PDB file of all heavy atoms in Angstrom:
ATOM      1  N   ALA E  15      10.088 -19.018   7.124  1.00 96.00           N
ATOM      2  CA  ALA E  15      11.436 -19.557   7.081  1.00 96.00           C
ATOM      3  C   ALA E  15      11.973 -19.471   5.629  1.00 96.00           C
ATOM      4  O   ALA E  15      13.150 -18.994   5.454  1.00 96.00           O
ATOM      5  CB  ALA E  15      11.543 -20.998   7.654  1.00 96.00           C
ATOM      6  N   PHE E  16      11.178 -19.923   4.709  1.00 95.00           N
ATOM      7  CA  PHE E  16      11.594 -19.831   3.304  1.00 95.00           C
ATOM      8  C   PHE E  16      11.769 -18.342   2.816  1.00 95.00           C
ATOM      9  O   PHE E  16      12.736 -18.080   2.074  1.00 95.00           O
ATOM     10  CB  PHE E  16      10.575 -20.412   2.313  1.00 95.00           C
ATOM     11  CG  PHE E  16      10.671 -21.959   2.174  1.00 95.00           C
ATOM     12  CD1 PHE E  16       9.539 -22.696   2.445  1.00 95.00           C
ATOM     13  CD2 PHE E  16      11.771 -22.584   1.997  1.00 95.00           C
ATOM     14  CE1 PHE E  16       9.470 -24.094   2.333  1.00 95.00           C
ATOM     15  CE2 PHE E  16      11.782 -23.932   1.908  1.00 95.00           C
ATOM     16  CZ  PHE E  16      10.689 -24.663   2.085  1.00 95.00           C
ATOM     17  N   LYS E  17      11.033 -17.411   3.395  1.00 92.00           N
ATOM     18  CA  LYS E  17      11.220 -16.016   3.095  1.00 92.00           C
ATOM     19  C   LYS E  17      12.594 -15.559   3.583  1.00 92.00           C
ATOM     20  O   LYS E  17      13.202 -14.763   2.872  1.00 92.00           O
ATOM     21  CB  LYS E  17      10.211 -15.165   3.750  1.00 92.00           C
ATOM     22  CG  LYS E  17       8.898 -15.024   3.029  1.00 92.00           C
ATOM     23  CD  LYS E  17       7.904 -14.080   3.682  1.00 92.00           C
ATOM     24  CE  LYS E  17       8.488 -12.709   3.989  1.00 92.00           C
ATOM     25  NZ  LYS E  17       7.569 -11.899   4.782  1.00 92.00           N
ATOM     26  N   SER E  18      13.209 -16.152   4.650  1.00 91.00           N
ATOM     27  CA  SER E  18      14.481 -15.743   5.159  1.00 91.00           C
ATOM     28  C   SER E  18      15.674 -16.417   4.482  1.00 91.00           C
ATOM     29  O   SER E  18      16.673 -15.828   4.407  1.00 91.00           O
ATOM     30  CB  SER E  18      14.445 -16.042   6.702  1.00 91.00           C
ATOM     31  OG  SER E  18      13.454 -15.300   7.311  1.00 91.00           O
ATOM     32  N   THR E  19      15.292 -17.722   4.194  1.00 91.00           N
ATOM     33  CA  THR E  19      16.559 -18.514   3.707  1.00 91.00           C
ATOM     34  C   THR E  19      16.419 -19.102   2.382  1.00 91.00           C
ATOM     35  O   THR E  19      17.411 -19.627   1.821  1.00 91.00           O
ATOM     36  CB  THR E  19      16.782 -19.642   4.815  1.00 91.00           C
ATOM     37  OG1 THR E  19      15.619 -20.444   4.770  1.00 91.00           O
ATOM     38  CG2 THR E  19      17.012 -19.117   6.083  1.00 91.00           C
ATOM     39  N   GLY E  20      15.198 -19.302   1.850  1.00 80.00           N
ATOM     40  CA  GLY E  20      15.042 -20.167   0.703  1.00 80.00           C
ATOM     41  C   GLY E  20      14.409 -19.350  -0.435  1.00 80.00           C
ATOM     42  O   GLY E  20      14.283 -18.151  -0.391  1.00 80.00           O
ATOM     43  N   PRO E  21      14.047 -20.118  -1.443  1.00 90.00           N
ATOM     44  CA  PRO E  21      13.461 -19.492  -2.594  1.00 90.00           C
ATOM     45  C   PRO E  21      12.076 -18.860  -2.266  1.00 90.00           C
ATOM     46  O   PRO E  21      11.260 -19.432  -1.545  1.00 90.00           O
ATOM     47  CB  PRO E  21      13.249 -20.622  -3.639  1.00 90.00           C
ATOM     48  CG  PRO E  21      13.414 -21.915  -2.883  1.00 90.00           C
ATOM     49  CD  PRO E  21      14.116 -21.586  -1.662  1.00 90.00           C
ATOM     50  N   MET E  22      11.848 -17.640  -2.765  1.00 90.00           N
ATOM     51  CA  MET E  22      10.559 -16.935  -2.493  1.00 90.00           C
ATOM     52  C   MET E  22       9.364 -17.675  -3.072  1.00 90.00           C
ATOM     53  O   MET E  22       8.310 -17.643  -2.435  1.00 90.00           O
ATOM     54  CB  MET E  22      10.696 -15.557  -3.041  1.00 90.00           C
ATOM     55  CG  MET E  22       9.815 -14.492  -2.431  1.00 90.00           C
ATOM     56  SD  MET E  22      10.008 -14.404  -0.553  1.00 90.00           S
ATOM     57  CE  MET E  22      11.627 -13.872  -0.427  1.00 90.00           C
ATOM     58  N   ILE E  23       9.546 -18.393  -4.129  1.00 92.00           N
ATOM     59  CA  ILE E  23       8.473 -19.189  -4.707  1.00 92.00           C
ATOM     60  C   ILE E  23       7.964 -20.241  -3.675  1.00 92.00           C
ATOM     61  O   ILE E  23       6.762 -20.433  -3.443  1.00 92.00           O
ATOM     62  CB  ILE E  23       8.879 -19.924  -5.945  1.00 92.00           C
ATOM     63  CG1 ILE E  23       9.053 -18.923  -7.107  1.00 92.00           C
ATOM     64  CG2 ILE E  23       7.830 -20.880  -6.417  1.00 92.00           C
ATOM     65  CD1 ILE E  23       7.835 -18.215  -7.575  1.00 92.00           C
ATOM     66  N   ALA E  24       8.918 -20.873  -2.962  1.00 95.00           N
ATOM     67  CA  ALA E  24       8.580 -21.818  -1.926  1.00 95.00           C
ATOM     68  C   ALA E  24       7.887 -21.187  -0.724  1.00 95.00           C
ATOM     69  O   ALA E  24       6.993 -21.712  -0.103  1.00 95.00           O
ATOM     70  CB  ALA E  24       9.849 -22.580  -1.424  1.00 95.00           C
ATOM     71  N   ALA E  25       8.330 -19.957  -0.434  1.00 96.00           N
ATOM     72  CA  ALA E  25       7.655 -19.268   0.670  1.00 96.00           C
ATOM     73  C   ALA E  25       6.311 -18.864   0.335  1.00 96.00           C
ATOM     74  O   ALA E  25       5.313 -19.038   1.043  1.00 96.00           O
ATOM     75  CB  ALA E  25       8.492 -17.872   0.961  1.00 96.00           C
ATOM     76  N   GLU E  26       6.007 -18.386  -0.954  1.00 96.00           N
ATOM     77  CA  GLU E  26       4.668 -18.095  -1.298  1.00 96.00           C
ATOM     78  C   GLU E  26       3.755 -19.271  -1.416  1.00 96.00           C
ATOM     79  O   GLU E  26       2.687 -19.206  -0.965  1.00 96.00           O
ATOM     80  CB  GLU E  26       4.761 -17.468  -2.789  1.00 96.00           C
ATOM     81  CG  GLU E  26       3.479 -16.897  -3.217  1.00 96.00           C
ATOM     82  CD  GLU E  26       3.636 -16.067  -4.529  1.00 96.00           C
ATOM     83  OE1 GLU E  26       4.773 -15.652  -4.956  1.00 96.00           O
ATOM     84  OE2 GLU E  26       2.649 -15.867  -5.215  1.00 96.00           O
ATOM     85  N   ALA E  27       4.339 -20.446  -1.850  1.00 96.00           N
ATOM     86  CA  ALA E  27       3.501 -21.571  -1.938  1.00 96.00           C
ATOM     87  C   ALA E  27       3.080 -22.089  -0.487  1.00 96.00           C
ATOM     88  O   ALA E  27       1.905 -22.457  -0.296  1.00 96.00           O
ATOM     89  CB  ALA E  27       4.280 -22.752  -2.626  1.00 96.00           C
ATOM     90  N   SER E  28       3.999 -22.041   0.466  1.00 97.00           N
ATOM     91  CA  SER E  28       3.712 -22.449   1.744  1.00 97.00           C
ATOM     92  C   SER E  28       2.614 -21.502   2.465  1.00 97.00           C
ATOM     93  O   SER E  28       1.707 -21.942   3.109  1.00 97.00           O
ATOM     94  CB  SER E  28       4.879 -22.532   2.663  1.00 97.00           C
ATOM     95  OG  SER E  28       5.796 -23.600   2.347  1.00 97.00           O
ATOM     96  N   LEU E  29       2.855 -20.230   2.235  1.00 97.00           N
ATOM     97  CA  LEU E  29       1.834 -19.257   2.755  1.00 97.00           C
ATOM     98  C   LEU E  29       0.561 -19.390   2.030  1.00 97.00           C
ATOM     99  O   LEU E  29      -0.491 -19.210   2.767  1.00 97.00           O
ATOM    100  CB  LEU E  29       2.458 -17.861   2.563  1.00 97.00           C
ATOM    101  CG  LEU E  29       3.682 -17.556   3.487  1.00 97.00           C
ATOM    102  CD1 LEU E  29       4.440 -16.338   3.099  1.00 97.00           C
ATOM    103  CD2 LEU E  29       3.307 -17.487   4.955  1.00 97.00           C
ATOM    104  N   GLN E  30       0.454 -19.674   0.785  1.00 97.00           N
ATOM    105  CA  GLN E  30      -0.829 -19.858   0.155  1.00 97.00           C
ATOM    106  C   GLN E  30      -1.618 -21.072   0.750  1.00 97.00           C
ATOM    107  O   GLN E  30      -2.780 -20.994   1.028  1.00 97.00           O
ATOM    108  CB  GLN E  30      -0.657 -20.084  -1.373  1.00 97.00           C
ATOM    109  CG  GLN E  30      -0.325 -18.775  -2.102  1.00 97.00           C
ATOM    110  CD  GLN E  30      -0.037 -19.023  -3.541  1.00 97.00           C
ATOM    111  OE1 GLN E  30       0.545 -20.024  -3.955  1.00 97.00           O
ATOM    112  NE2 GLN E  30      -0.501 -18.019  -4.423  1.00 97.00           N
ATOM    113  N   GLN E  31      -0.764 -22.212   0.987  1.00 97.00           N
ATOM    114  CA  GLN E  31      -1.412 -23.333   1.569  1.00 97.00           C
ATOM    115  C   GLN E  31      -1.899 -23.033   3.098  1.00 97.00           C
ATOM    116  O   GLN E  31      -2.910 -23.456   3.431  1.00 97.00           O
ATOM    117  CB  GLN E  31      -0.378 -24.495   1.590  1.00 97.00           C
ATOM    118  CG  GLN E  31      -0.225 -25.023   0.239  1.00 97.00           C
ATOM    119  CD  GLN E  31       0.778 -26.170   0.339  1.00 97.00           C
ATOM    120  OE1 GLN E  31       1.773 -26.161   1.001  1.00 97.00           O
ATOM    121  NE2 GLN E  31       0.530 -27.266  -0.411  1.00 97.00           N
ATOM    122  N   SER E  32      -1.044 -22.234   3.725  1.00 97.00           N
ATOM    123  CA  SER E  32      -1.444 -21.862   5.134  1.00 97.00           C
ATOM    124  C   SER E  32      -2.761 -21.130   5.052  1.00 97.00           C
ATOM    125  O   SER E  32      -3.605 -21.352   5.970  1.00 97.00           O
ATOM    126  CB  SER E  32      -0.245 -21.080   5.724  1.00 97.00           C
ATOM    127  OG  SER E  32      -0.567 -20.590   7.020  1.00 97.00           O
ATOM    128  N   LEU E  33      -2.795 -20.130   4.226  1.00 97.00           N
ATOM    129  CA  LEU E  33      -4.088 -19.401   4.031  1.00 97.00           C
ATOM    130  C   LEU E  33      -5.310 -20.258   3.730  1.00 97.00           C
ATOM    131  O   LEU E  33      -6.317 -20.098   4.320  1.00 97.00           O
ATOM    132  CB  LEU E  33      -3.859 -18.317   2.913  1.00 97.00           C
ATOM    133  CG  LEU E  33      -4.978 -17.267   2.805  1.00 97.00           C
ATOM    134  CD1 LEU E  33      -5.353 -16.553   4.142  1.00 97.00           C
ATOM    135  CD2 LEU E  33      -4.683 -16.377   1.674  1.00 97.00           C
ATOM    136  N   ARG E  34      -5.046 -21.153   2.790  1.00 96.00           N
ATOM    137  CA  ARG E  34      -6.191 -22.038   2.417  1.00 96.00           C
ATOM    138  C   ARG E  34      -6.675 -22.815   3.632  1.00 96.00           C
ATOM    139  O   ARG E  34      -7.837 -22.931   3.894  1.00 96.00           O
ATOM    140  CB  ARG E  34      -5.808 -22.885   1.288  1.00 96.00           C
ATOM    141  CG  ARG E  34      -6.831 -23.883   0.816  1.00 96.00           C
ATOM    142  CD  ARG E  34      -6.509 -24.645  -0.529  1.00 96.00           C
ATOM    143  NE  ARG E  34      -5.113 -25.153  -0.592  1.00 96.00           N
ATOM    144  CZ  ARG E  34      -4.148 -24.680  -1.324  1.00 96.00           C
ATOM    145  NH1 ARG E  34      -4.443 -23.651  -2.178  1.00 96.00           N
ATOM    146  NH2 ARG E  34      -2.878 -25.256  -1.387  1.00 96.00           N
ATOM    147  N   TYR E  35      -5.741 -23.507   4.300  1.00 95.00           N
ATOM    148  CA  TYR E  35      -6.095 -24.362   5.460  1.00 95.00           C
ATOM    149  C   TYR E  35      -6.623 -23.394   6.614  1.00 95.00           C
ATOM    150  O   TYR E  35      -7.615 -23.769   7.379  1.00 95.00           O
ATOM    151  CB  TYR E  35      -4.978 -25.076   6.006  1.00 95.00           C
ATOM    152  CG  TYR E  35      -4.657 -26.354   5.250  1.00 95.00           C
ATOM    153  CD1 TYR E  35      -3.493 -26.364   4.490  1.00 95.00           C
ATOM    154  CD2 TYR E  35      -5.563 -27.324   5.209  1.00 95.00           C
ATOM    155  CE1 TYR E  35      -3.246 -27.545   3.656  1.00 95.00           C
ATOM    156  CE2 TYR E  35      -5.318 -28.437   4.407  1.00 95.00           C
ATOM    157  CZ  TYR E  35      -4.160 -28.650   3.649  1.00 95.00           C
ATOM    158  OH  TYR E  35      -4.020 -29.631   2.846  1.00 95.00           O
ATOM    159  N   GLY E  36      -6.014 -22.206   6.909  1.00 96.00           N
ATOM    160  CA  GLY E  36      -6.546 -21.273   7.751  1.00 96.00           C
ATOM    161  C   GLY E  36      -7.944 -20.860   7.587  1.00 96.00           C
ATOM    162  O   GLY E  36      -8.811 -20.678   8.470  1.00 96.00           O
ATOM    163  N   ARG E  37      -8.281 -20.625   6.270  1.00 96.00           N
ATOM    164  CA  ARG E  37      -9.590 -20.202   5.910  1.00 96.00           C
ATOM    165  C   ARG E  37     -10.648 -21.324   6.165  1.00 96.00           C
ATOM    166  O   ARG E  37     -11.859 -21.032   6.287  1.00 96.00           O
ATOM    167  CB  ARG E  37      -9.678 -19.693   4.506  1.00 96.00           C
ATOM    168  CG  ARG E  37      -9.168 -18.322   4.332  1.00 96.00           C
ATOM    169  CD  ARG E  37      -9.271 -17.758   2.948  1.00 96.00           C
ATOM    170  NE  ARG E  37      -8.905 -16.330   2.861  1.00 96.00           N
ATOM    171  CZ  ARG E  37      -8.589 -15.806   1.746  1.00 96.00           C
ATOM    172  NH1 ARG E  37      -8.435 -16.493   0.622  1.00 96.00           N
ATOM    173  NH2 ARG E  37      -8.219 -14.466   1.845  1.00 96.00           N
ATOM    174  N   GLN E  38     -10.246 -22.576   6.171  1.00 94.00           N
ATOM    175  CA  GLN E  38     -11.037 -23.713   6.398  1.00 94.00           C
ATOM    176  C   GLN E  38     -11.298 -23.996   7.914  1.00 94.00           C
ATOM    177  O   GLN E  38     -12.269 -24.513   8.294  1.00 94.00           O
ATOM    178  CB  GLN E  38     -10.492 -24.969   5.710  1.00 94.00           C
ATOM    179  CG  GLN E  38     -10.486 -24.882   4.231  1.00 94.00           C
ATOM    180  CD  GLN E  38      -9.828 -26.115   3.506  1.00 94.00           C
ATOM    181  OE1 GLN E  38      -9.237 -26.950   4.240  1.00 94.00           O
ATOM    182  NE2 GLN E  38      -9.720 -26.131   2.247  1.00 94.00           N
ATOM    183  N   SER E  39     -10.238 -23.666   8.647  1.00 94.00           N
ATOM    184  CA  SER E  39     -10.257 -24.043   9.970  1.00 94.00           C
ATOM    185  C   SER E  39     -10.451 -22.973  11.020  1.00 94.00           C
ATOM    186  O   SER E  39     -10.609 -23.285  12.227  1.00 94.00           O
ATOM    187  CB  SER E  39      -8.984 -24.908  10.312  1.00 94.00           C
ATOM    188  OG  SER E  39      -7.861 -24.085  10.161  1.00 94.00           O
ATOM    189  N   LEU E  40     -10.253 -21.782  10.649  1.00 94.00           N
ATOM    190  CA  LEU E  40     -10.307 -20.643  11.607  1.00 94.00           C
ATOM    191  C   LEU E  40     -11.581 -19.736  11.295  1.00 94.00           C
ATOM    192  O   LEU E  40     -11.977 -19.716  10.156  1.00 94.00           O
ATOM    193  CB  LEU E  40      -9.065 -19.787  11.591  1.00 94.00           C
ATOM    194  CG  LEU E  40      -7.703 -20.442  11.899  1.00 94.00           C
ATOM    195  CD1 LEU E  40      -6.557 -19.593  11.482  1.00 94.00           C
ATOM    196  CD2 LEU E  40      -7.701 -20.863  13.329  1.00 94.00           C
TER     197      LEU E  40
END
Side-chain angles (χ1 to χ4, degrees):
F16 280 130
K17 277 181 58 184
S18 299
T19 62
M22 203 54 61
I23 292 290
E26 190 174 337
S28 290
L29 291 165
Q30 285 175 325
Q31 288 180 319
S32 177
L33 183 62
R34 184 171 39 254
Y35 283 110
R37 285 183 169 158
Q38 292 172 1
S39 62
L40 299 170

